[in-house]
Amino acid sequence: MNLEQIIEHINSVKTLEELEEVKKQYIWKKWTISAEFKKMKDLSPEEKKIKWQELARLKEGVENAVKQKYEELFKAQINKILENDIVDITLDGVKKDYGTYGLLLWFRRYLEHILQWMWFNIEMWNEIVTKYQNFEAVNIPKDHPAVEMQDTFYLEQKDETGENLVLRTHTSSWQNNVMKQYGAPCKVMLPWKVFRYENTDASHDTTFWQVEWIVIDENISLANLIWFLEQFFSTVYGQSVKVRLRPAYFPFVEPGFEWDVSCPICNGKWCSLCKWTWWIETFGAGMIHPNVLKEWWIDSSKYRWFAFGLGITRIIAIKYGIKDIRLFNSGDLRFLKSK
């Protein structure tokens, strides 16, 4: 069955309940796009790449058709309710508080705007992922400490292999799927909420936002990464900043680095924020590990690549002098309206 036939079926339904059953039929049950994805294990790498792109386009087309039909049926349902409703137009109008973006969402959209201006695609994916996606696909071995339950939230729900699903612990958890969709060359930004099983304090929380950038192209080097980060942080902080790199280990990059940004508060005059060192430890980055590239079906003899990620809350805290990141998830309206 092709996309046109599926869309015709979707457009023929009359109620929201029927639409939900159709959605399950094509996306979740036995003849489904998910089932077609599972058949790919027997294909060659080149066939997998072609088939993945075909199925990704098919899934996107079906989801868009379902969304459009849902909006149409929901609007018709609301209009039917309003036809039988009585509105007294003589009553005084009620002043409404329409709300606004919180600081965290506003700043995330601000970062997305900067990266779109630099020709990055923005991708959002599932918060629940498989153990393979979260660890093995990004070169984290099965015996790594991060895989243990004291560092990761495991769910009772299982995947098709019988492994428990997990709440993603980092933005890299969906790299494999994203890069198989885009191929090379590409520039992708992944702004996602992530979850860690750890004690909370002023600088740690169980739920927070990360953002990750991936760049794949020919003739990419660390020099490009350094230039890019200086331009990005200078734009974010509204002043010229420098970045400093220190060797560090991350399973999914080689070489890997911890990156420091020159303090935008004291500008080299020393202060408590940078602990009188002028540098603020900000994020990790490096050149993507060849093992990860093999999982993505990327030709490592032709393309070079880099990736880096950081916590959005950390950037905001530095920019606005916020001393406790738990405020972002506290629900305190005084803080949420402070933007």
Side-chain angles (χ1 to χ4, degrees):
M1 185 172 288
N2 58 35
L3 180 59
E4 289 74 18
Q5 293 172 315
I6 296 174
I7 292 177
E8 184 178 349
H9 188 188
I10 291 171
N11 289 334
S12 67
V13 304
K14 304 298 183 183
T15 66
L16 292 172
E17 291 74 16
E18 291 177 13
L19 181 63
E20 187 63 28
E21 290 303 314
V22 171
K23 178 181 176 182
K24 291 178 181 178
Q25 175 183 346
Y26 290 117
I27 298 181
W28 300 115
K29 291 189 178 175
K30 291 244 177 163
W31 185 94
T32 69
I33 299 170
S34 297
E36 293 297 311
F37 274 112
K38 293 177 184 177
K39 297 177 183 177
M40 291 172 55
K41 65 179 182 299
D42 300 322
L43 301 179
S44 67
E46 189 59 36
E47 290 173 327
K48 283 181 180 179
K49 183 175 181 180
I50 295 172
K51 188 67 174 177
W52 180 280
Q53 293 172 343
E54 291 176 354
L55 292 175
R57 286 193 293 268
L58 177 61
K59 185 177 181 182
E60 182 181 8
V62 172
E63 289 175 343
N64 288 339
V66 169
K67 180 180 178 181
Q68 184 175 350
K69 188 64 179 179
Y70 177 86
E71 292 174 351
E72 176 187 325
L73 293 174
F74 184 76
K75 184 176 180 180
Q77 188 179 74
I78 294 299
N79 287 338
K80 185 174 181 180
I81 294 172
L82 292 177
E83 286 175 1
N84 300 321
D85 198 11
I86 299 176
V87 179
D88 187 349
I89 61 174
T90 64
L91 293 175
D92 293 334
V94 178
K95 184 178 180 181
K96 297 181 180 295
D97 182 0
Y98 291 100
T100 183
Y101 284 150
L103 179 58
L104 183 58
L105 178 56
W106 173 83
F107 198 78
R108 196 196 89 205
R109 295 284 175 86
Y110 171 61
L111 296 182
E112 291 174 3
H113 176 74
I114 295 174
L115 270 295
Q116 285 175 322
W117 175 75
M118 301 177 82
W119 298 99
F120 276 74
N121 292 308
I122 313 297
E123 287 290 344
M124 303 291 287
W125 294 87
N126 299 335
E127 293 181 352
I128 298 175
V129 297
T130 66
K131 190 176 175 181
Y132 167 78
Q133 291 165 339
N134 202 63
F135 301 115
E136 296 166 52
V138 288
N139 203 41
I140 298 177
K142 293 182 179 181
D143 58 354
H144 193 280
V147 181
E148 300 300 325
M149 295 186 70
Q150 65 264 23
D151 292 308
T152 299
F153 288 109
Y154 281 80
L155 307 178
E156 292 184 357
Q157 184 181 357
K158 299 181 183 295
D159 62 18
E160 61 274 8
T161 67
E163 292 274 11
N164 291 76
L165 298 176
V166 301
L167 293 178
R168 62 188 179 208
T169 61
H170 52 181
T171 50
S172 304
S173 61
W174 211 251
Q175 279 184 4
N176 185 281
N177 302 62
V178 171
M179 299 318 301
K180 285 176 180 175
Q181 174 182 339
Y182 281 99
C186 72
K187 297 165 75 175
V188 183
M189 174 188 181
L190 311 174
W192 296 347
K193 187 185 294 181
V194 297
F195 308 87
R196 302 279 177 84
Y197 182 31
E198 58 182 321
N199 294 325
T200 61
D201 56 35
S203 57
H204 297 84
D205 206 343
T206 57
T207 303
F208 57 96
W209 279 86
Q210 279 188 336
V211 61
E212 180 168 335
W213 297 269
I214 302 169
V215 176
I216 299 179
D217 207 338
E218 298 181 39
N219 303 316
I220 292 291
S221 70
L222 276 175
N224 300 106
L225 176 56
I226 293 171
W227 177 88
F228 177 86
L229 292 175
E230 287 183 346
Q231 298 300 311
F232 172 75
F233 280 102
S234 295
T235 302
V236 169
Y237 292 128
Q239 58 181 281
S240 178
V241 299
K242 296 294 182 182
V243 296
R244 180 181 69 172
L245 63 160
R246 293 175 287 110
Y249 169 72
F250 300 102
F252 31 83
V253 292
E254 178 61 41
F257 301 94
E258 291 279 4
W259 293 76
D260 303 329
V261 176
S262 58
C263 182
I265 305 300
C266 68
N267 198 25
K269 298 178 181 178
W270 325 109
C271 68
S272 59
L273 180 63
C274 62
K275 299 178 182 177
W276 295 276
T277 65
W278 190 42
W279 297 100
I280 300 175
E281 181 183 336
T282 309
F283 58 95
M287 309 302 286
I288 300 173
H289 198 288
N291 290 346
V292 178
L293 268 294
K294 290 178 184 177
E295 293 287 337
W296 295 354
W297 311 327
I298 301 294
D299 183 0
S300 59
S301 65
K302 180 179 180 182
Y303 292 102
R304 296 292 178 266
W305 47 87
F306 63 73
F308 57 98
L310 50 85
I312 296 178
T313 48
R314 177 169 293 189
I315 307 178
I316 302 175
I318 294 171
K319 184 176 177 68
Y320 297 107
I322 298 170
K323 297 180 180 180
D324 192 333
I325 67 168
R326 292 172 292 186
L327 289 168
F328 291 106
N329 295 320
S330 67
D332 188 333
L333 291 179
R334 294 170 299 175
F335 175 77
L336 296 176
K337 291 181 177 181
S338 62
K339 180 180 73 68

